[in-house]
Amino acid sequence: MNATISIDTQREGTPIDRMIFGQFLEHFHRQIYGGVFDPGHPLADARGLRTDVIAALRELRVPIVRWPGGCFASAYHWKDGVGGRTAVYDKAWNVEEPNTFGTDEFVAFCRAIGAEPYICTNAGTGTEEEASDWVEYCNQTKGQWAAKRRANGHERPHDVKYWSVGNENYGPYEIMTKKAADWPAFVLESGKMMLRADPGIKLLAAALPDLDWTLPLLRQAGWMLAYISIHNYWDGLWFNNAPSDYLTCMTRTGQPGEMIRTAENLIQLTGLAGKVAIAFDEWNLRGWHHPCKGNHIFGDVEARDANDINATYTMADAVFSGCFLNACIRHAGTVKMACMAPMVNCRGPLFVHPGGVVRRTTFHVMKMYSDLLAGQAIDCWSASDPLTHAGVTVPSLDAVATSDAARKQVTLALVNKHPSEPLEVRLRLDGREGASAGAGVCLAGDSPDAYNDVATPDRAQPAPAEGVFRQGLATLPPHSITICTVDVK
Ligand code: AHR
């Protein structure tokens, strides 16, 4: 298998927003309770936060965490989760929500891992004013909600900068689904009060790459938005937990880029290019398994345990995640935030169990990208032998190039999707061949189906790859992600 890459370091680069390495945390199954928050656990601190989980998440340098949902947000009343707590029935997921992890705990968790908190408001059963009360509670110094925060032991404002109006409110499964015609007014009125409570916040709104929903939203409320929020999972497992095999997953690696292009076109069409960005604030290859959606059936809560089967999260998940991040980097001018969904347990990169944590394959991809890439996306063109499966053809290579302003070095993120063949890559840098790479890191695993588990936590892990390019040629192992740096002569 062969590929060529051509990089132009002379043209202007596009800054990559580190917020694309964000994460998402929802009140769903064992993400919060028994995940990040476990009062009484021997490894929990005085706040109930698992210290081993915090330490592992700090390795990822997570820039932002979106919370509390997800579908959960559309029936969540934040006032039940501050001060004296009220346990309630969770209408989204059919369980009791104890509300012992609320706004104050979420902000403390974010600060503990060094991330910005990002709150998604209830645009289902919640009102526009309930959302602005929440901004007051977090960010104001005046009024009853600021007083309540102080009474709860938080003298200084929490300073939460990122706020989304709603989650997937177009979806028929969402509590109190909104009609496209009604959505812009709800966003406008919520946003109006939220921005008065704190003009410094950045506002997002639930959107999707669809003319009927997003065009009216952008036309009427786009002026007050910093981002539109879009989501996707490319292996939908909501009703049947039958994860697709490696090659089927590879056939979907081009789809994130297509979604981003459609959303970009909508932003351009409404004259908001450069003003409204894209937040891909829920993404993962695998959709979560919760067969209660839209049709409550006995036993669906137990069915959610299937999300925690570590064997599901293989090199297919790692390779797909590399391709997703590459798509964000190719569109760095518009994609300014992305949140992997979720952060722990379920389909997340970190599996938390009573005895410790397991870094799944996707954990390593997130860390490699977050740690190693430079700050600007630069021109990178590639051509590679095709990979065909079930009538769908994708390129076997996915490549992006990054650099900093000085342009002394270029750092490449290279994904070989082929399940069994190495990829011979020829690099042209500013029209010249023969470049040699310095340090590199490669994640490949011993098989496309390799995964990490409690008994084998390090089966798939990154290894140093010295001299990836020699005289302009590299050999990328099958099912691998490589990040390496090349000197610019
Ligand atoms: O399956 C998880 C759910 O997926 C999230 O709650 C929702 O936002 C998305 O539809």
Side-chain angles (χ1 to χ4, degrees):
M1 304 288 288
N2 291 290
T4 55
I5 300 176
S6 214
I7 293 171
D8 182 351
T9 66
Q10 303 305 302
R11 294 198 356 158
E12 209 178 320
T14 310
I16 299 169
D17 201 317
R18 273 195 51 79
M19 292 289 178
I20 66 169
F21 305 127
Q23 298 282 344
F24 170 58
L25 187 63
E26 176 160 8
H27 289 245
F28 177 90
H29 211 48
R30 297 192 315 108
Q31 293 178 40
I32 308 271
Y33 306 107
V36 300
F37 184 69
D38 204 348
H41 187 281
L43 293 173
D45 65 15
R47 299 166 296 188
L49 300 173
R50 278 271 296 257
T51 51
D52 55 338
V53 176
I54 288 171
L57 294 171
R58 286 189 74 87
E59 288 173 29
L60 287 182
R61 300 196 298 133
V62 177
I64 192 161
V65 182
R66 177 175 180 259
W67 170 88
C71 298
F72 174 81
S74 294
Y76 175 64
H77 295 293
W78 68 269
K79 292 170 191 173
D80 294 337
V82 293
R85 308 306 167 101
T86 312
V88 298
Y89 173 67
D90 165 5
K91 296 183 194 66
W93 304 130
N94 193 16
V95 293
E96 181 164 289
E97 167 55 48
N99 273 315
T100 48
F101 187 96
T103 305
D104 299 330
E105 290 75 22
F106 170 62
V107 173
F109 165 72
C110 288
R111 303 300 179 211
I113 66 165
E116 283 287 336
Y118 162 22
I119 290 180
C120 175
T121 65
N122 175 351
T125 61
T127 64
E128 296 89 327
E129 191 175 25
E130 186 175 338
S132 75
D133 289 349
W134 206 352
V135 178
E136 284 185 36
Y137 181 87
C138 289
N139 295 358
Q140 256 295 350
T141 51
K142 305 186 202 88
Q144 59 166 323
W145 298 112
K148 176 99 174 144
R149 182 195 65 243
R150 283 196 294 270
N152 290 339
H154 304 279
E155 184 59 34
R156 302 218 330 258
H158 286 321
D159 193 20
V160 176
K161 288 196 190 68
Y162 297 86
W163 293 83
S164 170
V165 180
N167 173 76
E168 299 185 9
N169 304 84
Y170 45 80
Y173 47 83
E174 202 70 16
I175 304 281
M176 299 286 286
T177 306
K178 292 278 187 293
K179 294 196 179 70
D182 299 335
W183 184 235
F186 190 94
V187 172
L188 269 174
E189 294 309 318
S190 303
K192 188 191 291 176
M193 285 187 279
M194 292 166 79
L195 285 161
R196 285 185 194 185
D198 181 357
I201 63 170
K202 287 185 188 291
L203 204 64
L204 299 87
L208 76 170
D210 170 82
L211 274 177
D212 293 340
W213 180 269
T214 300
L215 211 53
L217 169 69
L218 285 172
R219 279 194 170 135
Q220 294 171 56
W223 61 271
M224 64 163 57
L225 297 178
Y227 308 76
I228 51 170
S229 148
I230 63 171
H231 298 167
N232 211 36
Y233 301 83
W234 288 269
D235 191 22
L237 302 168
W238 294 278
F239 302 108
N240 299 304
N241 195 43
S244 296
D245 61 18
Y246 179 90
L247 274 171
T248 304
C249 295
M250 293 307 105
T251 61
R252 299 175 186 162
T253 49
Q255 295 176 14
E258 286 166 21
M259 276 187 73
I260 293 168
R261 276 191 292 279
T262 309
E264 277 178 344
N265 289 341
L266 290 168
I267 291 170
Q268 247 163 16
L269 203 62
T270 45
L272 293 165
K275 296 191 187 106
V276 175
I278 296 169
F280 219 127
D281 54 14
E282 272 186 47
W283 71 271
N284 201 321
L285 167 61
R286 320 275 184 190
W288 313 359
H289 185 52
H290 46 80
C292 60
K293 244 187 184 176
N295 174 23
H296 285 262
I297 50 168
F298 184 72
D300 51 1
V301 174
E302 289 72 27
R304 291 172 199 161
D305 287 342
N307 292 298
D308 286 332
I309 298 170
N310 284 316
T312 310
Y313 311 104
T314 66
M315 286 306 299
D317 300 70
V319 169
F320 187 93
S321 298
C323 294
F324 175 88
L325 292 172
N326 282 3
C328 294
I329 290 164
R330 270 192 285 277
H331 294 268
T334 46
V335 181
K336 305 225 168 187
M337 188 198 296
C339 303
M340 191 176 209
M343 174 162 54
V344 301
N345 289 334
C346 192
R347 308 297 191 195
L350 191 71
F351 175 66
V352 178
H353 60 97
V357 298
V358 174
R359 291 161 184 76
R360 290 174 172 156
T361 57
T362 49
F363 182 97
H364 297 303
V365 177
M366 294 304 291
K367 179 162 168 57
M368 285 164 67
Y369 275 71
S370 170
D371 279 353
L372 300 174
L373 292 186
Q376 296 181 11
I378 61 169
D379 271 8
C380 174
W381 303 97
S382 63
S384 56
D385 284 340
L387 176 62
T388 301
H389 176 69
V392 181
T393 297
V394 293
S396 47
L397 175 71
D398 191 322
V400 293
T402 67
S403 190
D404 56 18
R407 292 287 196 277
K408 295 218 163 79
Q409 291 186 318
V410 168
T411 301
L412 297 145
L414 307 169
V415 182
N416 177 9
K417 302 177 206 172
H418 201 284
S420 55
E421 298 286 328
L423 193 58
E424 306 296 331
V425 183
R426 180 175 292 275
L427 174 65
R428 284 179 74 81
L429 191 57
D430 293 330
R432 289 186 297 273
E433 292 189 357
S436 293
V441 174
C442 177
L443 173 70
D446 55 27
S447 127
D449 299 324
Y451 61 89
N452 295 332
D453 207 342
V454 178
T456 50
D458 298 325
R459 178 174 168 196
Q461 61 168 325
E466 291 305 323
V468 176
F469 281 97
R470 292 179 197 276
Q471 276 88 50
L473 287 173
T475 304
L476 305 178
H479 50 82
S480 68
I481 301 103
T482 303
I483 299 199
C484 65
T485 299
V486 183
D487 288 335
V488 178
K489 292 274 164 13

